[in-house]
Amino acid sequence: MKKVLALLSLFIVMSCGSDDENNTPENPYNFEMEVAVSDITLHEATISWNKPLPSEWSSVTYEIVLNNEEIASGIQTSEYTFTNLEENKVYTGTVYAAGDNGQESSANFSFTTKPYIFEMAVEIDEIGIYEASISWNAPLPSEWGSVVYKVVLNNEVIVDGLQNTNYTISDLDDNRGYNGTVFAKGTNGDETFAHFSFTTLPYTITGGSVTLHNQQEVDDFFYSEIGLSLTITGSDITDISNLSSLVSLGDDLIIKNTSLTSLNGLQNIIPETSHRKLEIIDNPQLSDIGDVSGFSSTMKELEINKNASLSNISNLQISSTLTSIRFGYTPISDFSIFYINSNYMFIEFDYMPPTANMANLFSGIQSADNLTLKNLAVTDLSFISNFTVGSDLYLENIPITNFSSLSSWTTIYYFKLRDMPLITNMEGLDSLERVLTFDFNNNPNLVSFDGLLSLDGSGAWPNDSISLFLVNNSNLRDYCSLREFLNIVPYRYENGIPFYNVTGNAYNPTKEEIKTEAGCSL
């Protein structure tokens, strides 16, 4: 019986042991957290870490501690970037993970931010014949404080205590090599330096004129002096900076039909008394002409036409040498720079924008030998009311109805009207007493010369003679206001032929009929 009980007891113990073994998990989940550090800079660093399996930790939040200070908590991403750190400093920290079922884990990390190292470098920005421009990078003010610089060239200090990070070295020799150093010193005591070297351009001369037809010819340009004119023309020309070697130009400067946006490259032309003409024509993208200010300061003639993007010319230098100005189809509105000269030989404006302040120009000008105004959106000529013309007046396609703004004018040598749609007579020219030529063409509503109250011949000079060119004025039928004048002032003749052409009008009297009371009108 005892033996049976012993066997039964053994069986029960063995059975219990077998059940315990079956209830124990074979592979329990053990999450080991790891933190990686990346993208370390002077003031930033990024950490990232692995995440537990969602099937085991269904919802996880993280807390980040850096140098014993909590930086972030409750975040759910597995990456974080530290900012505003100090450079060259050791940082230690821990990332804590907490699951919603009470699970916890953590991992430590450490890193050292990078130290600030300033590497200075000098760039050669521009090299000319007699000067060179250099620039360099600057250290961070937070590291060095205020910085001053010293420039040494060929073992000679040329500037010290400089606070800018650029400098133009002048008074150099042409075609010569130079070596130099820029020294930097901060208020924190740090110092460094950087070397540079360059060779100035050679001075090359051509005695004639030069025309550059395309970008390749511009890029191949090497002259320092041109004896006569320089013409730049070609629609593929977009950059003339290579012309910076040019310092002397003997005659005209013409920029025509290009795709330039600026005239960078012409800034080194020095003013010379031989400069004659500056022409800037048909450059639709040109918006800045400041680089020809040196040339403009001694020019005698200026023409700016068909430059659709050019609205500002205030950086030109105008002097008393300028005697001729022509503007057209260019949206310039401010002409105040022309105040410097009160008397011009020739002035022409053709199709200026409505915003053009013509009074702004003419208030500073008193006279011109030739004044041409064409296609202007003005309804009166008040902007030249105090203007006296020494020679010629040419008006074309201007919607004025009379000449009342010119009531003080006494003399017009050559009086030319073209396509003046609203003019019916000479009303307003009350004081006009001396004219040498009437040249009127295609003025559809011109009927008579009424309004010439003072043109009776008494103001004519002894050797004056008159030329009449009156053509295709479809309603012109009354010339009687000229009769008294024509009986005193003789016609101009050349080779026995009178300067008299009166045709295509409503009435076309002969040169003798026009002087009679019966024949002066229809």
Side-chain angles (χ1 to χ4, degrees):
M1 188 65 178
K2 290 182 180 179
K3 185 180 291 187
V4 173
L5 291 173
L7 290 172
L8 181 59
S9 299
L10 179 60
F11 174 76
I12 293 172
V13 171
M14 292 179 64
S15 297
C16 290
S18 177
D19 289 342
D20 290 342
E21 291 176 3
N22 290 338
N23 291 333
T24 301
E26 295 181 0
N27 295 300
Y29 180 70
N30 184 20
F31 172 55
E32 294 185 2
M33 191 176 186
E34 295 181 353
V35 178
V37 183
S38 62
D39 300 329
I40 302 173
T41 66
L42 275 71
H43 304 291
E44 294 186 359
T46 298
I47 58 172
S48 58
W49 53 88
N50 56 327
K51 302 177 70 173
L53 294 174
S55 60
E56 301 295 331
W57 293 38
S58 59
S59 178
V60 187
T61 59
Y62 302 94
E63 177 187 354
I64 300 173
V65 173
L66 184 68
N67 283 7
N68 299 317
E69 180 182 349
E70 182 183 280
I71 302 299
S73 62
I75 64 175
Q76 295 181 321
T77 60
S78 59
E79 183 178 284
Y80 187 83
T81 297
F82 300 105
T83 59
N84 299 319
L85 302 175
E86 297 180 28
E87 72 273 4
N88 196 30
K89 181 176 179 179
V90 177
Y91 287 89
T92 60
T94 304
V95 177
Y96 295 93
D100 59 349
N101 292 325
Q103 303 99 322
E104 292 183 352
S105 185
S106 63
N108 298 324
F109 63 88
S110 65
F111 61 85
T112 302
T113 51
K114 292 185 177 180
Y116 178 73
I117 301 175
F118 172 55
E119 295 183 359
M120 190 177 184
V122 179
E123 297 288 336
I124 309 298
D125 297 324
E126 187 175 351
I127 302 175
I129 301 171
Y130 304 119
E131 64 181 24
S133 296
I134 61 174
S135 62
W136 52 90
N137 56 325
L140 293 174
S142 60
E143 304 298 328
W144 280 49
S146 299
V147 184
V148 293
Y149 303 95
K150 177 173 64 175
V151 180
V152 174
L153 187 70
N154 286 4
N155 299 318
E156 179 182 349
V157 177
I158 58 175
V159 64
D160 199 356
L162 186 67
Q163 295 182 326
N164 297 331
T165 57
N166 57 78
Y167 189 74
T168 297
I169 308 169
S170 56
D171 298 325
L172 303 176
D173 297 328
D174 69 293
N175 197 30
R176 178 182 175 185
Y178 288 89
N179 297 305
T181 305
V182 177
F183 294 88
K185 183 176 182 179
T187 52
N188 68 341
D190 287 345
E191 298 183 17
T192 190
F193 60 88
H195 300 299
F196 63 90
S197 63
F198 60 84
T199 300
T200 51
L201 299 177
Y203 193 94
T204 53
I205 302 174
T206 176
S209 295
V210 173
T211 298
L212 304 175
H213 300 89
N214 52 57
Q215 186 64 52
Q216 187 59 55
E217 291 183 1
V218 171
D219 294 341
D220 293 339
F221 183 87
F222 59 89
Y223 290 114
S224 308
E225 179 179 332
I226 296 176
L228 295 177
S229 299
L230 170 62
T231 300
I232 305 167
T233 178
S235 59
D236 73 321
I237 298 177
T238 60
D239 180 7
I240 57 172
S241 58
N242 190 54
L243 304 187
S244 60
S245 62
L246 182 63
V247 297
S248 177
L249 179 61
D251 205 343
D252 300 343
L253 174 58
I254 301 170
I255 300 112
K256 186 175 183 179
N257 188 31
T258 74
S259 297
L260 294 168
T261 59
S262 76
L263 301 182
N264 177 37
L266 301 176
Q267 66 272 15
N268 294 324
I269 300 177
I270 58 177
E272 297 185 22
T273 56
S274 60
H275 291 166
R276 190 180 70 172
K277 179 167 50 179
L278 173 61
E279 288 186 7
I280 303 175
I281 302 173
D282 198 14
N283 305 280
Q285 300 177 53
L286 184 63
S287 60
D288 182 0
I289 61 173
D291 288 308
V292 294
S293 61
F295 180 93
S296 68
S297 65
T298 53
M299 66 184 172
K300 299 174 178 65
E301 301 176 37
L302 172 65
E303 180 172 359
I304 298 178
N305 206 325
K306 297 181 181 179
N307 304 284
S309 301
L310 183 61
S311 60
N312 189 341
I313 58 172
S314 60
N315 39 21
L316 292 181
Q317 296 185 46
I318 304 302
S319 71
S320 58
T321 62
L322 181 64
T323 59
S324 174
I325 54 177
R326 297 171 183 254
F327 288 92
Y329 296 86
T330 301
I332 301 168
S333 58
D334 185 0
F335 299 94
S336 57
I337 61 172
F338 295 99
Y339 286 169
I340 190 68
N341 193 0
S342 61
N343 300 287
Y344 286 87
M345 293 177 60
F346 189 96
I347 297 176
E348 177 178 315
F349 284 86
D350 185 0
Y351 192 79
M352 300 305 293
T355 56
N357 189 345
M358 305 303 291
N360 181 254
L361 166 66
F362 287 100
S363 63
I365 301 176
Q366 297 175 355
S367 67
D369 290 345
N370 187 307
L371 175 62
T372 298
L373 304 175
K374 300 160 60 176
N375 303 303
L376 300 184
V378 296
T379 56
D380 65 66
L381 300 177
S382 58
F383 54 88
I384 53 172
S385 59
N386 63 343
F387 195 93
T388 59
V389 177
S391 180
D392 307 333
L393 175 63
Y394 177 14
L395 304 177
E396 178 178 328
N397 191 28
I398 302 176
I400 60 173
T401 58
N402 58 64
F403 300 101
S404 59
S405 300
L406 310 182
S407 60
S408 63
W409 289 25
T410 60
T411 302
I412 302 176
Y413 290 173
Y414 197 113
F415 191 9
K416 186 174 183 178
L417 295 183
R418 289 285 189 278
D419 302 307
M420 297 291 284
L422 304 180
I423 291 296
T424 59
N425 54 41
M426 299 294 103
E427 180 185 351
L429 292 171
D430 304 346
S431 302
L432 188 63
E433 59 184 17
R434 188 173 182 227
V435 179
L436 301 184
T437 299
F438 285 104
D439 183 355
F440 293 177
N441 191 306
N442 197 34
N443 301 287
N445 291 305
L446 179 63
V447 175
S448 72
F449 282 81
D450 291 353
L452 297 175
L453 305 180
S454 301
L455 193 66
D456 55 9
S458 62
W461 291 11
N463 294 322
D464 281 357
S465 59
I466 183 67
S467 302
L468 288 182
F469 305 108
L470 308 174
V471 179
N472 295 331
N473 303 286
S474 56
N475 282 298
L476 180 57
R477 57 177 60 89
D478 185 350
Y479 306 84
C480 292
S481 293
L482 295 177
R483 184 171 59 86
E484 188 175 2
F485 175 77
L486 294 176
N487 278 293
I488 294 178
V489 180
Y491 291 115
R492 179 185 174 191
Y493 280 80
E494 188 172 296
N495 297 323
I497 301 174
F499 280 52
Y500 185 91
N501 182 15
V502 180
T503 58
N505 307 298
Y507 173 53
N508 302 290
T510 66
K511 64 182 177 59
E512 296 304 326
E513 288 174 333
I514 199 172
K515 294 193 285 185
T516 67
E517 185 175 357
C520 66
S521 67
L522 189 63

